[in-house]
Structure formats: C-alpha cells, structure tokens
Amino acid sequence: MSPSADTPSPPPSPSHRPKILVPEKVSSEGLALLRSLYEVDTRTGLSASDLLELIPSYHGLIVRSETQVTAELLAAGRKLRVVARAGVGVDNINVDAATKHGIIVVNSPAGNIVAAAEHTIALLLATARNVGRADASVKAGKWERSKLVGIEVGHKTLGIIGLGKVGMKVARMAIGLGMKVTALDPYASPEVAKGAGVSLVSSLAELLPTVDFLTIHTPLLASTLNLLGEAELQKMKPTSRVLNVARGGVYNEEALLKALDEGWIAGAGLDVFTKEPLVEGSAAAKLAAHPKVVATPHLGASTVEAQENVSMDVCTQVLEILRGGLPTAAVNAPLILPEEYRRLQPFVKLVEKMGSLYTQHFARTQGGMVGGRRFELSYHGELAGISNTRPLFAALVKGLVSSISDAGGRDVNIVNATLITKDRGIAIDEKHVRDDGGAHASAVTLRSFEAGAEEQVIEGYVSGKAIFISKLDRFTANFHPDGTLLVLHNYDEPGKIGNVGLVVGKHGINIRFMQVAGLNQEARAKAEASVADGPVEGEAEGAAVGGGQQLTKEALMILGVDGEVTKEVLEELGKAEGILDVSLVRL
C-alpha cells in the first residue's frame, strides 16, 4: 500500500493564534499574509514602557527603524520567537540579547536596494544643483539665479565606501550619468568591480583627495562609527560634496558641520542622522538647517515599492518561522541562500519527523528521555554537498524534544538549538557521507548510541515534496511519517493483520494506511546465523532453535490511523497473540 499524500494542517483557532505586534507603520501587503493565521496587532505611538508592558503576550515583533528593541524588552518577551526589521539595518535591535534568548532576528537586505540607491543619486543631483536652496528661495518669492549656480556631474568622480548591493547599484547609476566611480571596500571582488566599471582603491588616504562626491554604504559598526572626522574631511577637495543615505554616525556630525563652515567641502546631502527625529540644538539639527546641506527625513527606503518589498519579505519570513520553517535572512544565524533554502526545506521536515519518531518510538522505554544519548545525523548523496546544515541540526533537536517539552518544540530554532542540546545533555554529530545516496538522490540516517545498548537507526528520504521513512531500526520500511501512527512489533505470521484490524475497528478507529516492514538483509542474516550456531550454554536446544526461527520472522506493522487511541486500545493490542510491543506515535 503506497504512503498517503501530505494533508495540510488546519489553521489554529482564533483563541490560540500566535500574536504579532507591529508598533510602526508597515505596508499592509505583507501584513495581509499573516492575518489569516495569526493575530496581528498594529499599535503605533507606543512608548518604551508601553512596549515593555505589552510584549510578554506576543510571539512576533515587526519594527522599522524607530522602535528600540532593547535587551530589557527581549527578556520581557517570554513568548517571542522572532523580531523582524522591515528594512536593512538592525542597529535598533540588540541582536546579542536576542540570540541569548533564542529569538531569531530577520531583516530584508534586498527589499529597498533600488530605493536607497535612487535616493542617493537624488541627493547627489540636488547638492550639485542647489535644489533645496533654490526651492526655498522661489517659495519665498525670490528669484536668485546668480546665487544658485551649480555644477554638472558628468565626468566628475564619485567615491563609494562600501561596494555592497546598494553601493554597486549607486555605482551603475552614476556611470549612467557619465561619472567616473572609485570605491573602497576590502571585501569587494576586483573582477566584479572591474566588470561594472568601478576602480578599487585600498585606503581612505588614496580615495578622499580624488573624489568630487563621496557616498558611504556600510552598516553602522564599531569600525565605521565616525569613519570620517576632521582629519579625513580636510583631505577632500573644497569643491567636493558628501552624501549619506546609510546610517547616521558614519560621518562625525560635529566634524562635518565644521567642514561646511570652514569651507573644507562644498556641500552635503543627508538622509540619516545619529538621533532621529532631530534634537533641537544638536549638531544633527544644525546640519539639517545648514544652507549648504540638502536634508531629508530618512527617506532612503520610503518608496511605495520598497515598503511593499520589505513588508512582503519580512512578513513571509515571520510566517515561516512561526510555523516552524526557515528564514531567508536571519541576522543572528547563518545565511540561507535561496537555492539552499529550496533544497533544504523538505529535509528539514523529514529530519524533524525522524527526531520525533525516535523519541516516541525508542525513547518511551526510558521515560521519554533522550538526554545522555549520542546521536549521529548523516547526510548522503546530493545533500552531503550542502555545507550549511544548521537548519537540519535544529530540526533534529526540535523533533527530539517536541513530544517531551511544554512548548512542543516550538521554542527550538536555528539560533538556540545548540544551547538546548547542552541543557538537555544531548550530543549530536553531523556527518557528510560522499556516496551516491543509494536508491535515492539524497538520504538522511539518524543513529543513536548508548554505552551497553544496541544502536538504534532511522533512515529517510525525500521524493518530490513528500517525505518517507525507509528504515526503522532493523526493519525495511516505506511509509509517510505523518499523523497518528501505531507501530507494532510482531511475529510475521498469518492472522496478525486481521486481529489488529478487529481491535482497532471495535474501538471506532479508522486505518488510513497499513504497511508490514520486514527485517532488513543484515538483521535477517544475523537471525539466521543465531539459528545455525545452536543453543548457548544453559539453554535448551529446542528453545534456542525455536527462538532463532521466530527471530527470522519478526516484522513491524505500521498503521496510520484516525480516531482516539486510548491506553485501553494499546493494552488490548499488546496482549494479542504474537504482538511483542506496541508504540503510539503522533507526528
């Protein structure tokens, strides 16, 4: 009988839906993805104390740049599983504290690339042609053409610090305007830069004196904070202009103000500041009001398209995380490339089911304990070629503890999986076996070891989008690990299937599928060898032969069932003739 197909699980009831807090304005297109499954609470204008009071009841938090996600807030969010930043930078989120609490932090590194690059070019042109001052002058009823003579950007040099996705987009746009582009980025590929028409330099000292415009596209880190101060700005041409659509603080604001006042540079186009909104009397506020500055209120990602893109991106990731899937841009976990994500997704489900099957089928005889055992998770075939298997490791941990933890494994993710194994005394080794995967392109083997005990094995594979268990301990199988399963260890003799069917039928339990799994070749050979070796010392010859013959006829009967399987049902099945053991598995 062929294994059954996947059956989608019904959505949770409204009273049990995970809750997501959105304290800032986030595009509704993404939030609409979440509302069918989760309770989405959009509450703008909350104070820090309001957030601290509300956060304990939420499972997800979606923010932009204004909300400060502090260590205190994360510690209070006892149910929090994910914090999503609808944008690129996460400097308003305490990522280390999130990692400590096992909370995944995701962002949208690609959603606003075009918007940020276009705004950079907009500020470049605005500073070159005095657009801000000209607009204010005309609105004031003046006509000051002679005071507002600008410069052309064609044939000028644009310097870029940080040639990442946004920096490269800016470079290509600038080249389209007829500019020469020079960049500083120690991690940039010389071949890629050359192919884009960008010249790379090795230091600020080499870059600064040569540029007519300078833009920075780096995150705000300890190494980039106040990257440009007085000494650096003094190295620039007095006709040069600087731009910032990245993060406030990469330019020292006091130094930049002095550079404009002293005439070290000619102007600036600023979209970001160290403190937003601006604090009256601060260097940032003075910069924004300076006649040589074109200032905008953090509009780099503020386009309809960008807001929709980042909203859809982070909300999709929140959706996946809350239902046990993989994020595509986890800040505090290894990056999952899209192609790896697609390849790993079905195996994540398979490995989680294998872990849960182990705990419920094997570990139940130890009181449900998996601690103190050593596990080996082996990847075969094409799967062995994937280096980032952290999601599979986390899936195994989640499966192992799901049936024995209060949270049902929902508190396990790629961020905290290793910590959970240490807390529970579980040792897991991963092996990449460079074989052909046997009968399947990719396969997974889970082995469990304990001193003085036999090795326990579960093997599985993926076919299309369906997952299958192909080996359960000493038995060759081929079943779909889903729903409620009854696993009966029995002697493979006539009448066993009928007897089991009568018991479950009497209790109103429907059988969805049934499979008989026989001993694999290695186990059968051992059983036959035990018969040939004869009785051990102190054992009657007839008993030994009979026992050995029985060993060669062992099998597993695996039933997928619908209906309530009570303790009484299990006891009645266990008493049936020829049934050696019965386990109930819920997957």
Side-chain angles (χ1 to χ4, degrees), residues 214-231:
L214 178 69
T215 182
I216 300 182
H217 297 285
T218 67
L220 185 63
L221 308 169
S223 58
T224 59
L225 179 65
N226 295 322
L227 182 63
L228 271 77
E230 288 190 19

Side-chain angles (χ1 to χ4, degrees), residues 7-24:
T7 302
S9 56
S13 62
S15 60
H16 294 92
R17 289 184 175 185
K19 297 174 66 178
I20 301 167
L21 180 61
V22 188
E24 298 183 62

Side-chain angles (χ1 to χ4, degrees), residues 131-435:
V131 172
R133 289 164 60 193
D135 178 66
S137 174
V138 173
K139 283 182 169 60
K142 301 175 183 179
W143 198 260
E144 301 176 311
R145 293 181 64 194
S146 60
K147 291 183 179 181
L148 299 169
V149 176
I151 62 169
E152 294 180 4
V153 301
H155 306 294
K156 298 296 191 302
T157 298
L158 171 65
I160 301 177
I161 300 176
L163 199 62
K165 293 178 180 178
V166 177
M168 184 61 80
K169 192 72 174 178
V170 169
R172 291 192 171 108
M173 291 178 175
I175 290 170
L177 292 172
M179 301 185 77
K180 176 184 176 182
V181 179
T182 306
L184 171 62
D185 188 332
Y187 304 105
S189 163
E191 292 77 17
V192 173
K194 183 179 180 181
V198 178
S199 301
L200 288 177
V201 295
S202 58
S203 67
L204 279 174
E206 187 180 356
L207 177 73
L208 296 177
T210 66
V211 301
D212 301 292
F213 294 86
L214 178 69
T215 182
I216 300 182
H217 297 285
T218 67
L220 185 63
L221 308 169
S223 58
T224 59
L225 179 65
N226 295 322
L227 182 63
L228 271 77
E230 288 190 19
E232 290 75 23
L233 292 166
Q234 284 180 323
K235 290 184 174 72
M236 300 184 70
K237 299 177 185 178
T239 57
S240 62
R241 293 159 171 82
V242 299
L243 312 166
N244 190 7
V245 186
R247 280 287 177 266
V250 290
Y251 293 95
N252 181 291
E253 290 175 339
E254 295 280 359
L256 183 53
L257 187 61
K258 187 174 181 180
L260 292 167
D261 288 338
E262 297 290 334
W264 302 342
I265 61 174
L270 306 176
D271 184 51
V272 289
F273 302 88
T274 52
K275 182 68 176 178
E276 299 173 359
L278 302 174
V279 176
E280 187 177 355
S282 66
K286 292 175 183 177
L287 279 171
H290 202 284
K292 294 182 181 179
V293 173
V294 177
T296 54
H298 205 142
L299 298 179
S302 294
T303 64
V304 172
E305 294 84 355
Q307 294 305 301
E308 290 176 354
N309 290 342
V310 298
S311 176
M312 291 291 289
D313 189 358
V314 299
C315 288
T316 298
Q317 293 187 75
V318 169
L319 181 74
E320 286 298 318
I321 291 167
L322 290 182
R323 65 183 182 187
L326 297 174
T328 54
V331 175
N332 54 347
L335 176 66
I336 310 295
L337 298 175
E339 58 272 19
E340 287 185 337
Y341 175 75
R342 287 190 293 270
R343 291 170 67 186
L344 281 178
Q345 209 170 14
F347 288 98
V348 167
K349 183 179 179 183
L350 171 64
V351 171
E352 181 183 338
K353 298 283 189 179
M354 290 170 69
S356 185
L357 177 59
Y358 173 84
T359 300
Q360 296 182 69
H361 179 61
F362 289 123
R364 62 191 172 83
T365 57
Q366 309 157 35
M369 298 299 292
V370 294
R373 295 194 69 91
R374 181 167 67 86
F375 295 91
E376 181 183 273
L377 190 60
S378 301
Y379 312 115
H380 303 266
E382 295 176 1
L383 191 61
I386 295 181
S387 58
N388 180 11
T389 54
R390 181 97 169 259
L392 297 176
F393 179 95
L396 175 59
V397 177
K398 182 178 180 180
L400 288 171
V401 306
S402 61
S403 62
I404 55 176
S405 73
D406 293 337
R410 293 184 300 276
D411 55 340
V412 181
N413 55 52
I414 55 178
V415 174
N416 65 2
T418 302
L419 292 174
I420 289 175
T421 60
K422 291 179 180 177
D423 290 344
R424 290 184 174 269
I426 302 170
I428 300 175
D429 296 322
E430 292 181 280
K431 287 181 64 177
H432 294 252
V433 183
R434 307 289 178 173
D435 56 15

